[in-house]
Amino acid sequence: MPQFTAEQLLEHIARLRERALVWLPPAAMMALETASEAEVDGAWLADLWQQAQRAAFTGTALAQDCGRTYAYVDAGPDIELDGAVAGAVVRRMSRNGLHLAVSPTMPDLLVETRIGEDTELADELLRALPAEKTGLPWVLGVGVGKTALRARLLAGRALLRSVDEPNPDAMLAWLEADALRRINGQTLTALAVNIEAEGGAECLAICLGRHPLMCAEERIA
């Protein structure tokens, strides 16, 4: 059984963080290019796309001060993690292997609430969004969990999913597409709405990725 210590995981996370600061995933680059062409005033999106190209060519970071890094560890039953990893965001998978997803910046929590029969996801998103919508295009991570903490963790995990990868659950994928259409309206607000949910959930959390495209992931075992 492969064994990983906290120090080994931190080394991998640090390397992935450096990669995320410089290289945008191909899907993110394509989403930026498409959005810059579709947006009425897409010059700022085209400029961001060009910045990303220059960063990749020169090896310089897209952003200098990203705050706290956050990472998710997906570990299969064949992976043994030492006790020091207990405080990390670890999700046990049914399949074997170890997968890391890392972003250089912690997401902002927009809203956290208990859900009921009349909860409308798109309406909650619209209420949660800040009035100022300039700057970087956003990705909204939505977590629906059994507790407020689980909902926040799921929302953060959703932000690390690729902008072109819908939820494998057909109903959640439909909710993602519907929510994105409604919050964007006539002007671009977000590139993606990603939802992660668990059964028996009672809490809803919505997180905003201000540097939503800056992430890196790797299967290391």
Side-chain angles (χ1 to χ4, degrees):
M1 176 180 290
Q3 296 180 331
F4 289 87
T5 66
E7 289 75 16
Q8 289 173 319
L9 286 179
L10 286 173
E11 289 177 3
H12 284 288
I13 289 170
R15 179 170 50 80
L16 287 176
R17 180 184 185 277
E18 293 305 309
R19 183 196 301 175
L21 283 170
V22 175
W23 299 91
L24 290 190
M29 291 290 289
M30 185 175 297
L32 276 178
E33 185 177 18
T34 301
S36 69
E37 295 171 353
E39 181 71 355
V40 176
D41 184 13
W44 66 281
L45 288 163
D47 183 61
L48 182 58
W49 181 73
Q50 292 172 356
Q51 290 179 38
Q53 283 194 314
R54 285 195 297 269
F57 182 76
T58 62
T60 56
L62 270 168
Q64 300 301 320
D65 183 13
C66 292
R68 296 172 58 195
T69 299
Y70 77 113
Y72 282 79
V73 182
D74 292 336
D78 62 322
I79 301 295
E80 181 178 331
L81 302 173
D82 71 15
V85 185
V89 181
V90 178
R91 180 177 63 177
R92 283 290 177 178
M93 304 181 297
S94 58
R95 64 185 185 277
N96 291 342
L98 182 68
H99 183 271
L100 294 180
V102 177
S103 174
T105 181
M106 290 288 288
D108 293 330
L109 179 64
L110 294 181
V111 69
E112 182 180 290
T113 185
R114 297 189 71 82
I115 59 176
E117 293 182 359
D118 59 343
T119 300
E120 181 66 37
L121 176 59
D123 290 342
E124 292 288 347
L125 285 169
L126 287 168
R127 283 193 289 268
L129 286 173
E132 181 58 47
K133 294 181 174 60
T134 59
L136 290 174
W138 300 338
V139 170
L140 294 168
V142 179
V144 186
K146 295 179 180 178
T147 66
L149 177 59
R150 284 290 301 166
R152 286 198 301 270
L153 294 178
L154 288 169
R157 186 68 180 86
L159 284 174
L160 295 181
R161 195 183 342 134
S162 178
V163 294
D164 66 342
E165 181 184 343
N167 194 294
D169 182 280
M171 177 57 71
L172 292 178
W174 182 87
L175 285 173
E176 289 174 342
D178 179 63
L180 181 64
R181 176 185 58 80
R182 289 184 58 185
I183 67 172
N184 275 346
Q186 300 300 314
T187 60
L188 180 77
T189 295
L191 293 180
V193 174
N194 291 344
I195 304 172
E196 293 288 335
E198 60 185 4
E202 297 181 354
C203 295
L204 170 70
I206 299 172
C207 287
L208 165 67
R210 291 196 181 278
H211 296 275
L213 309 178
M214 297 170 63
C215 59
E217 55 185 333
E218 184 175 67
R219 186 180 179 90
I220 62 176

